[in-house]
Amino acid sequence: MPSPELLDSPRRRPWPGLTPLPAHRADTPPERVAVAVVGAGPAGLAVASALWHLGIEDVALLDAGERTCGRFLDRVDRLGQRVLRSPYEHHPGVEGYRDCELLDFARLHWGLLTPVERREVRMAQAGHRSVVPLDVFEAFCGHVADAHAVGERTWRATVRSVVPRAEDVVLRTDTGDVRARYVVLCLGEERGTAPDGWHAGYWDEPVPDDGPLVVVGAGLSAAHLLADALAAGREAHWVMRANQERYQCADVNAAFFRPEGRARFQDTPWERRLDLMSRHRRASVMFEFRPLLEAAEADGRLTVHRGVEVESVADGRVRLADGRVVAGGHVALCLGTRPSIGAGLLPDAVVNAVDGWPDLDPRTLSYTHAPRVLAVGAATAMALGPAARNIDGHRVATARVAGAVAAGLRAKVGAP
C-alpha cells in the first residue's frame, strides 16, 4: 500500500534561475492573428508550444485569469493539494521535438527534491507508477512557457463569443474583437453544480477552518478536503452515493492512455462509448489516502455515510434519503466536473451537442460545422476516450490539432 507521506511534498520552494509562470499581458490583444487559443491552462500551454515548434508564432492566447496555468493551480491550492495524480510521463509540452520533459526537469533539480520525491523519480525511471510534486509541475510549466515564448503572446481577455465565418473566426472579447484564421478552444472543465435548493459551499471555494466539516462526494477533491480537516484536528463526515470508496492509481484505466486503447475506443459505436465514459470516469481516490482515511474512521475522527442519496442541504445540515441528518459547521460539495464544450461561446448549431458532447471531426478535433475551430481537453473525450481530460490526453489532442492548423496555414486559404 502506498504511504501517505507521498502526499506531503513541500510547496512554494524557490527554483533558482527559473522564470515564474508569466502574468498575462494587460494591453489590448492584436486585432488579427493566424491562431487564437482560448484558455492558457496546461492545454493552452501545450498547444502554443506545439505551434512554436511548427514555426507558427503568430499566436494569441486569450485567458480570463492573470497568469499561465493560474486557474488550474489556484484550484489545487485551495484543496491544499501537494502532488499530482498524473505520473511523470504525463505533462504539458510537446512530444517528438526533444524538449526537456517533466522527468528530465525533476532530475536536473535533484538537489531540491526530498528523499521521498527522489524515490518517486527512480520509480518513474524504472517504468513504474510515480507521484509528481505540484511544485515540480508548476516550475516545469514555467520552463515550458519561457522556452516557447508563451508569456509574451498571452493576453488577459474574456472571450464572450466565437463567431465562425467562411474565411476566418471572430472572437468577441471584453477588450475588442480578434480575427483569427484558426481558433483552438482549451476551455477545461467546470465544477458540477448542485440541485436547486441546495445551499452549501463547493470544493473550489474557501472552507472555514473551524467546526465539523461535511464533505459530499466520493472523488479526489473530497479526499483532499477531508485530509486537510483531519490534519487540523477537526471532526469530519464523508457522504457518498457509492457503497464503498474507490481507490485506484489513476482516474482512468491505463489502457485508454495507449494508442491501441484509443483506437479501440474510436472504433466503438456511440452508445458503447457512452457506456465506457460513464464506467471509467467515476469518482475515485489515490491509494495514498487509504491508510489515512481508514485510520481516521477507525478511531472515530471520520464518519463515512456510504450508499445513500442526499435529499437536501441547508444551514450546514445534510438530509439523507434514509431520514438521517448529518450536521456540520460547513458543508462542501464535491460533485465532480463537466467538460466545457463550447456551448455559450459558439452557436448551438456549431456545437451540435449529442448527449452533452460536441460534434467533432475525430481526425482533426475540429468542430464538424466550423472546421476553423478546434478543441483540446475534456471536450474531445468522445473522440479520444476517457483520458482526453488528463494532461496526457492534452498531448495527444495537441498533436492532432497543431498538425491540422499547420496544414491549413500552409495552404494559405482564407487569410484574414
Side-chain angles (χ1 to χ4, degrees), residues 236-256:
H237 292 263
W238 192 6
V239 180
M240 65 180 74
R241 289 184 300 177
N243 291 320
Q244 63 181 24
E245 301 89 325
R246 189 169 181 241
Y247 291 101
Q248 59 186 47
C249 294
D251 56 353
V252 175
N253 188 295
F256 292 109

Side-chain angles (χ1 to χ4, degrees), residues 274-285:
L274 285 174
D275 177 63
L276 288 170
M277 287 296 297
S278 66
R279 288 193 291 113
H280 289 280
R281 294 305 310 181
R282 291 183 296 164
S284 64
V285 177

Side-chain angles (χ1 to χ4, degrees), residues 214 237 239 305 312 314 316-328:
V214 182
H237 292 263
V239 180
H305 309 268
S312 64
R317 298 164 66 86
V318 178
R319 183 173 296 279
L320 306 179
D322 60 10
R324 289 178 294 155
V325 174
V326 181

Side-chain angles (χ1 to χ4, degrees), residues 33-40 43-48 51 56 59-62 159 162 169 171 180-188 345-346 364-367 370-377 380 394 397-406 409:
V33 291
V35 186
V37 179
V38 182
L45 178 61
V47 170
L51 294 172
I56 302 168
V59 177
L61 289 88
L62 308 174
V159 177
V162 179
V169 183
L171 293 91
R181 289 179 63 185
Y182 291 92
V183 169
V184 184
L185 300 183
C186 300
L187 303 177
L345 291 181
L346 287 163
T364 62
L365 302 180
S366 62
Y367 285 79
R372 291 183 178 276
V373 183
L374 307 94
V376 171
T380 67
H394 295 170
T398 291
R400 295 191 193 183
V401 165
V405 168
L409 292 174

Side-chain angles (χ1 to χ4, degrees), residues 28-37 59-62 155 157 159 161-163 165 168-183 416:
T28 303
E31 295 182 2
R32 299 186 180 195
V33 291
V35 186
V37 179
V59 177
L61 289 88
L62 308 174
W155 283 264
V159 177
S161 65
V162 179
V163 184
R165 304 192 303 189
D168 62 10
V169 183
V170 179
L171 293 91
R172 314 281 188 199
T173 83
D174 59 346
T175 61
D177 290 354
V178 176
R179 292 175 59 193
R181 289 179 63 185
Y182 291 92
V183 169

